[in-house]
Amino acid sequence: MECTVGRVRRCRDCRGGKRPAPYPGPRCATHHRAARAARRRAAHSRHIQRTYGITLDEYERLYEAQGGACAICQRAKGTGRRRLAVDHNHRTGEVRGLLCGPCNRGVLGHLHDDPDALQRAIDYLINPPSRRVLSAK
């Protein structure tokens, strides 16, 4: 009879099952992180499609068109824990662009000290980047 106590579980994604899978998951740490990132990306894609009517590809095109930063303050990159928020007109549903949390909430405390940022906010509301990017399908 074979003893199973202390037996090492193997990652189900590694070729040949070479690397151990820490309890309780079926994957090694590397594949666990990759699977978690894929789930988060899929959830984000479903959320923006359902809520704003844009695909993940359109979100990424808009992100690139804005230079990879918040359209107003141009400081926040949305690369850490928090992605840039999809800003939209609540009356019409039109997607305007991608903003960091403070700019999206309309907190102008950090904008009133920077006239250039305030002008960008005005320009953003008049001519949102999504009109250039999303209409060029």
Side-chain angles (χ1 to χ4, degrees), residues 47-69:
H47 169 70
I48 62 173
Q49 177 68 49
R50 181 180 59 243
T51 308
Y52 307 109
I54 64 171
T55 65
L56 187 58
D57 183 54
E58 290 171 325
Y59 178 94
E60 290 170 352
R61 284 194 346 230
L62 193 51
Y63 182 79
E64 291 300 318
Q66 290 181 194

Side-chain angles (χ1 to χ4, degrees), residues 84-97:
L84 294 178
V86 178
D87 178 49
H88 66 289
N89 184 320
H90 287 261
R91 281 181 283 133
T92 66
E94 176 190 21
V95 172
R96 291 188 282 226

